[in-house]
Amino acid sequence: MSDEVKKGLEGVVVAESALSHIDGDAGKLIYRGYAIEDLAREASYEEVLYLLWHGSLPNRDELDSFSESMADERSVDEDVLSTVRRLAEADADPMAALQTTVSMLSAYDPDDSETDPEDYEANLRKGRRITAKIPTIIAAFDRFRNGDEPVEPREDLGHAENFLYMLNGEEPDEVLAETFDMALVLHADHGLNASTFSSMVTSSTLSGVHSAITSAIGTLAGPLHGGANQNVMKMLKEVDDADQDPVEWVKNALDRGDRVMGMGHRVYNVKDPRAKILGEKSEELGEAAGDTKWYEMSVAIEEYMQEEKGLAPNVDFYSASTYYQMGIPIDVYTPIFAMSRVGGWVGHVLEQYDDNRLIRPRAKYVGPENQEFVPLDER
Ligand code: COA
């Protein structure tokens, strides 16, 4: 057995998956063979969920009944809502609150709490319920901490539109609803990223869907993964508040040895295709509002990082200014990432159950050997 260490599992292939594929040299991303650009332009988040979970794009009837089944599941139990309230009042981190609450949902799920990896339909139902309820939890959390009561989900609105409605208490205009739906499509799946992998590790022990998604939320929260989007916006705000040149700010950050959030990627060697689409959205929103400063600052940073470090933006770089211009609170950006990526997590958990083997790598031992044990009182 080789003891070669593949730090960060870089380049290690651990599973087969039919869900999504990244060509890191060409900057291409597909979900089940469909180009992300086509899905972003043409498909709703519900269509993408159906594609990921059922293997093909739905026809009109299939989409209608799928969307209805999602909308039916949006409400959360009163006990869950009161936990969300308590977490909001305790000023919990929004991702920690989401993780706790998703874990709690398992107690209220009508399907059996025992996990049968062969019961695909039951596991899919659990995944669908979690996906349907996450927006309700995020919106309620934000409202509670602002001293407002949560807004009941509406069954007549799409997944994206209903979230913005619950968050703000009013229906979003068409541009905002479509932009947000597109952002959800763009974040839905991305190969074996860290959070997806952690959901697979958890499900490989035959632990349940709720438990796998809870693991994934914790993994997504970190700044090297989903937490990057809010840090990008904090950076842009800091530059703006100090009235600084963004390139000078970045130079200083790099001199200090800091990483520039939203830049670089393990798999892409060129610009992330999702960043291209979100960059255009960020610019469009700025133009519509008559102020493109966030977009322009971002472009200046992108150009400098490309020239100086050969690093290109990832999905988090332009989602930050896009969400900011949509009026979404900064610390809700990562929960929104979870709200979308849960589609991919559920898909990968189902794939894992379908062809399971316990995920259990090894470490190369570098600690001492043959130590002589000294009893406590003699040390
Ligand atoms: N800013 C500055 N330098 C960066 C960088 C960034 N955002 N991303 C990578 N680098 C540098 C590292 O310092 C390292 O340089 P070195 O070899 O001189 O030490 C080199 O590039 C390789 O970095 P490494 O951490 O080994 O790459 P990785 O594949 O493990 O990391 C990320 C990938 C995404 C974690 C990394 O690019 C990063 O931290 N990006 C910022 C966080 C982010 O946006 N995350 C969201 C990802 S979708």
Coordinates of all heavy atoms in Angstrom, one line a residue, residues 223-225 228 254 258-266 274 305 309 311 314-316, ligand 1:
P223 N -14.7 29.9 5.0 CA -14.3 30.9 4.0 C -13.6 30.4 2.8 O -13.6 31.0 1.8 CB -13.4 31.8 4.8 CG -13.0 31.1 6.0 CD -14.1 30.1 6.3
L224 N -13.1 29.2 2.9 CA -12.4 28.6 1.6 C -13.5 28.0 0.7 O -13.1 27.6 -0.4 CB -11.3 27.6 2.0 CG -10.1 28.1 2.8 CD1 -9.1 27.1 2.9 CD2 -9.6 29.4 2.2
H225 N -14.7 27.9 1.2 CA -15.7 27.3 0.4 C -16.9 28.3 0.3 O -16.7 29.4 -0.2 CB -16.1 26.0 1.0 CG -17.0 25.0 0.2 ND1 -17.3 25.2 -1.1 CD2 -17.6 23.9 0.6 CE1 -18.1 24.3 -1.5 NE2 -18.3 23.4 -0.5
A228 N -16.9 32.2 1.2 CA -16.1 33.2 0.5 C -17.0 34.4 0.0 O -16.6 35.5 -0.1 CB -15.4 32.6 -0.7
L254 N -2.3 41.1 -0.3 CA -1.4 40.0 -0.8 C 0.0 40.2 -0.1 O 0.6 39.2 0.3 CB -1.2 40.1 -2.3 CG -2.4 39.7 -3.1 CD1 -2.2 39.9 -4.6 CD2 -2.8 38.2 -2.9
D258 N -2.4 37.6 2.8 CA -3.9 37.2 2.9 C -4.3 36.7 1.5 O -3.7 37.0 0.5 CB -4.7 38.5 3.2 CG -4.5 39.0 4.6 OD1 -3.9 38.3 5.4 OD2 -5.0 40.1 4.8
R259 N -5.3 35.9 1.5 CA -5.9 35.4 0.3 C -7.0 36.4 -0.1 O -7.7 37.0 0.7 CB -6.6 34.1 0.5 CG -5.5 33.0 0.6 CD -6.0 31.7 0.7 NE -4.9 30.8 0.7 CZ -4.7 29.6 0.1 NH1 -5.8 29.2 -0.5 NH2 -3.6 29.0 0.1
V260 N -7.2 36.6 -1.4 CA -8.3 37.4 -1.9 C -9.5 36.5 -2.2 O -9.4 35.6 -3.0 CB -7.9 38.2 -3.2 CG1 -9.0 39.0 -3.7 CG2 -6.6 39.0 -2.9
M261 N -10.5 36.8 -1.4 CA -11.7 35.9 -1.5 C -12.4 36.0 -2.8 O -12.4 37.0 -3.5 CB -12.7 36.2 -0.4 CG -12.1 35.9 1.0 SD -12.0 34.1 1.3 CE -10.3 33.9 1.7
G262 N -12.9 34.8 -3.3 CA -13.6 34.8 -4.6 C -12.6 34.5 -5.7 O -13.0 34.5 -6.9
M263 N -11.3 34.4 -5.4 CA -10.3 34.2 -6.5 C -9.7 32.8 -6.3 O -9.4 32.3 -5.2 CB -9.2 35.2 -6.3 CG -9.6 36.6 -6.7 SD -9.8 36.6 -8.5 CE -10.9 38.0 -8.6
G264 N -9.4 32.1 -7.4 CA -8.8 30.8 -7.4 C -9.7 29.7 -7.3 O -10.9 29.9 -6.8
H265 N -9.3 28.6 -7.7 CA -10.2 27.4 -7.6 C -9.3 26.1 -7.8 O -8.4 26.1 -8.5 CB -11.3 27.4 -8.7 CG -12.4 26.5 -8.4 ND1 -12.4 25.2 -8.7 CD2 -13.6 26.8 -7.8 CE1 -13.6 24.7 -8.3 NE2 -14.3 25.6 -7.7
R266 N -9.7 25.1 -7.1 CA -9.0 23.8 -7.1 C -9.1 23.2 -8.5 O -8.2 22.6 -9.0 CB -9.5 22.9 -6.1 CG -9.0 21.5 -6.1 CD -7.5 21.4 -5.8 NE -7.1 21.8 -4.4 CZ -7.3 21.0 -3.4 NH1 -7.8 19.8 -3.5 NH2 -6.9 21.5 -2.2
R274 N -19.4 30.2 -14.2 CA -20.5 30.8 -13.4 C -20.2 32.3 -13.1 O -21.1 33.1 -12.9 CB -20.7 30.0 -12.1 CG -21.1 28.5 -12.4 CD -20.9 27.6 -11.2 NE -19.6 27.7 -10.6 CZ -19.2 27.2 -9.5 NH1 -20.1 26.6 -8.7 NH2 -18.0 27.3 -9.1
M305 N -5.6 40.5 -10.3 CA -5.3 39.1 -9.8 C -4.9 38.2 -11.0 O -4.0 37.3 -10.8 CB -6.5 38.5 -9.1 CG -6.8 39.1 -7.7 SD -5.4 38.9 -6.5 CE -5.6 37.2 -6.1
K309 N -1.2 37.2 -10.3 CA -1.1 35.9 -9.6 C -1.6 34.8 -10.6 O -1.6 33.6 -10.2 CB -2.0 35.9 -8.4 CG -1.7 36.9 -7.3 CD -0.5 36.5 -6.5 CE -0.8 35.4 -5.5 NZ 0.4 35.1 -4.6
L311 N -4.6 34.2 -11.2 CA -5.8 33.6 -10.5 C -7.0 34.3 -11.1 O -7.1 35.5 -11.3 CB -5.8 33.8 -9.0 CG -4.7 33.0 -8.2 CD1 -4.7 33.4 -6.8 CD2 -5.0 31.5 -8.3
N314 N -13.9 32.9 -9.0 CA -14.8 31.8 -8.9 C -16.2 32.3 -8.7 O -16.4 33.5 -8.7 CB -14.3 30.8 -7.8 CG -14.2 31.5 -6.5 OD1 -15.2 32.1 -6.0 ND2 -13.1 31.4 -5.8
V315 N -17.1 31.4 -8.5 CA -18.5 31.7 -8.5 C -18.8 32.8 -7.4 O -19.8 33.6 -7.6 CB -19.4 30.4 -8.2 CG1 -19.2 29.9 -6.8 CG2 -20.9 30.7 -8.5
D316 N -18.0 32.8 -6.3 CA -18.4 33.7 -5.2 C -18.0 35.1 -5.5 O -18.5 36.0 -4.8 CB -17.6 33.2 -4.0 CG -18.1 31.8 -3.5 OD1 -19.3 31.7 -3.4 OD2 -17.2 31.0 -3.3
Ligands
COA1 N1 -5.6 34.7 -3.1 C1 -4.2 34.7 -3.0 N2 -3.5 33.6 -3.3 C2 -4.2 32.5 -3.6 C3 -5.6 32.4 -3.7 C4 -6.3 33.6 -3.4 N3 -7.6 33.6 -3.4 N4 -5.9 31.2 -4.0 C5 -4.8 30.5 -4.1 N5 -3.7 31.2 -3.9 C6 -2.3 30.9 -3.9 C7 -1.9 30.2 -2.7 O1 -1.4 31.1 -1.7 C8 -0.9 29.2 -3.1 O2 0.3 30.0 -3.4 P1 1.7 29.3 -3.0 O3 1.8 28.1 -3.8 O4 2.7 30.4 -3.3 O5 1.6 29.0 -1.5 C9 -1.4 28.8 -4.5 O6 -2.2 29.8 -5.0 C10 -2.2 27.5 -4.4 O7 -3.1 27.6 -3.4 P2 -3.8 26.3 -2.7 O8 -4.4 26.8 -1.4 O9 -2.8 25.2 -2.6 O10 -4.9 26.0 -3.8 P3 -6.2 25.1 -3.5 O11 -6.5 24.4 -4.7 O12 -6.0 24.2 -2.3 O13 -7.2 26.2 -3.1 C11 -9.0 27.6 -3.0 C12 -8.3 26.5 -3.7 C13 -10.4 27.9 -3.6 C14 -9.2 27.2 -1.5 C15 -8.1 28.9 -3.0 O14 -8.0 29.3 -4.3 C16 -8.7 30.0 -2.1 O15 -8.4 30.0 -0.9 N6 -9.5 30.9 -2.7 C17 -10.1 32.0 -1.9 C18 -11.3 31.4 -1.2 C19 -12.5 31.2 -2.2 O16 -12.8 32.1 -3.0 N7 -13.1 30.1 -2.0 C20 -14.3 29.8 -2.8 C21 -14.0 28.6 -3.8 S1 -15.3 28.3 -4.9

